[in-house]
Amino acid sequence: MKCRKCSREAVIFQQYSGLHLCERHFTINFEARAKRAIRKHQWIQPGDRIAVAMSGGKDSSALLYFLTSQFGARRDVEFFAICIDEGIAGYRDPAVAERIAASRGVPFYTVSFADAYGLTVDEIVERRGDAVSCSYCGVLRRHLLNRIARELGATKIALGFNLDDDAQSVLMNVLRGDLDRLVRPTAPVEGLVPRIRPFRVLPEREVALYAHLHLSGFEEEGCPYSHNALRADVRTMLNDYNYRHPATKFALVRLGEELANLGGSIASSLHACEECGEPCTDVCRACQILREFEGK
Ligand SMILES: [Zn+2]
Ligand SMILES: [Zn+2]
């Protein structure tokens, strides 16, 4: 098939827009949509110092590439990369993220669960199995990322979540009946570095294509411990449904956004944890998890 905008060979067909696009016109289309999301949410403002959360995988690597290529020349915005090393032998290697950060000319910082918590995900799996390790890892990673980003003076944390990730999360929360998570506050909270997700409007396969077109050397594998049964089911179901109704994922993300806007009043219920000082609800999940593994 030929590109709709020129006569070159198309590299992608966007089912929801009906467009076949070549490499060049796909890249223009992709970047325009991410920039539109940034403008709409005012995610990048003069004076911002933005920490890009880098795993070294395709989403976060593509995000760093996108941000530095589109905004890197601005003198009033700074970028740097943070890689959290969860301690997963044979999988997480901060050197992968470090090389990509170096290729984009941004400062790179890495911090490990082992140094920050004296605990690795390998140890969590060894003691608790891999059924809970994903949620424990997620809590501890967010906790550490927020602290390190704040200590490094970040005004925003940029996350590589794509449309599929976000649509799946919204649907999972619906299926679990988890209203709290659906109306999670977006209002600013003391000590919590605001998160931005420029790729939440872009389908996973387009982020993957963008990464492959513009970068090399990123981590292609998923985490060996991640077998979240609910997410896998929701992913299959959503992809199947979305094939027949191509606007579905966009609709779910929009629903999630609108529900989160209703939740602004919950923000005041966050307070500083007595143990670690990070913003948390009644019980600090990170401290709770760390207590479980004390004196291991
Ligand atoms: Zn074209
Ligand atoms: Zn705490």
Side-chain angles (χ1 to χ4, degrees):
M1 291 298 287
K2 297 281 178 227
C3 174
R4 174 74 71 88
K5 314 265 178 188
C6 68
S7 58
R8 283 191 215 94
E9 204 56 39
V11 291
I12 191 162
F13 172 61
Q14 287 176 340
Q15 207 197 354
Y16 51 89
S17 69
L19 294 179
H20 289 88
L21 296 169
C22 69
E23 256 186 58
R24 174 159 172 269
H25 285 110
F26 162 72
T27 296
I28 292 172
N29 176 279
F30 181 99
E31 290 174 344
R33 289 156 69 204
K35 281 191 281 192
R36 203 177 310 134
I38 288 171
R39 269 197 305 277
K40 176 181 163 198
H41 296 279
Q42 297 181 294
W43 272 335
I44 298 181
Q45 290 160 309
D48 265 338
R49 191 170 144 71
I50 298 178
V52 181
M54 284 277 293
S55 67
K58 66 173 165 43
D59 296 303
S60 59
S61 301
L63 181 61
L64 184 71
Y65 173 85
F66 164 77
L67 289 172
T68 50
S69 68
Q70 299 302 310
F71 301 94
R74 270 178 63 165
R75 288 162 164 260
D76 59 347
V77 181
E78 274 178 80
F79 296 97
F80 62 97
I82 299 178
C83 177
I84 305 287
D85 178 0
E86 302 94 340
I88 304 171
Y91 170 63
R92 174 68 66 236
D93 177 5
V96 173
E98 186 169 15
R99 275 194 297 271
I100 290 166
S103 77
R104 303 306 302 161
V106 302
F108 176 82
Y109 302 88
T110 182
V111 55
S112 67
F113 276 20
D115 286 343
Y117 299 134
L119 179 71
T120 67
V121 168
D122 283 340
E123 287 164 348
I124 294 176
V125 172
E126 198 179 301
R127 293 195 45 197
R128 289 285 187 285
D130 58 10
V132 296
S133 61
C134 256
S135 70
Y136 282 26
C137 176
V139 169
L140 295 176
R141 187 174 353 96
R142 281 190 293 276
H143 187 256
L144 189 54
L145 181 62
N146 187 64
R147 178 160 72 75
I148 300 302
R150 195 184 54 231
E151 287 172 4
L152 290 168
T155 55
K156 310 264 169 65
I157 296 174
L159 300 169
F161 289 111
N162 58 52
L163 177 77
D164 293 60
D165 296 327
D166 259 30
Q168 287 159 17
S169 297
V170 173
L171 189 53
M172 281 164 73
N173 290 333
V174 169
L175 296 173
R176 278 195 295 240
D178 193 338
L179 182 66
D180 276 0
R181 272 178 202 255
L182 282 167
V183 298
R184 218 195 315 236
T186 49
V189 175
E190 169 90 35
L192 198 65
V193 183
R195 282 117 203 275
I196 65 172
R197 289 177 290 180
F199 286 174
R200 72 188 303 190
V201 293
L202 294 153
E204 183 178 295
R205 61 189 283 262
E206 295 189 34
V207 177
L209 177 59
Y210 184 76
H212 282 283
L213 291 175
H214 299 286
L215 281 167
S216 59
F218 49 84
E219 174 65 59
E220 304 251 13
E221 298 296 311
C223 174
Y225 296 134
S226 103
H227 356 261
N228 183 324
L230 177 59
R231 186 172 286 271
D233 281 352
V234 165
R235 183 191 157 93
T236 307
M237 177 166 81
L238 196 51
N239 283 346
D240 181 50
Y241 189 82
N242 199 76
Y243 181 74
R244 278 168 285 129
H245 309 280
T248 303
K249 290 175 187 173
F250 296 101
L252 278 169
V253 168
R254 206 161 46 240
L255 174 70
E257 232 168 57
E258 279 167 22
L259 287 171
N261 287 338
L262 299 176
S265 58
I266 304 171
S268 55
S269 69
L270 285 172
H271 58 260
C273 168
E274 284 174 17
E275 282 181 51
C276 69
E278 289 296 305
C280 65
T281 50
D282 302 343
V283 238
C284 175
R285 279 286 292 142
C287 285
Q288 221 178 11
I289 289 169
L290 293 171
R291 257 197 305 278
E292 241 187 77
F293 289 87
E294 253 167 36
K296 54 180 168 45

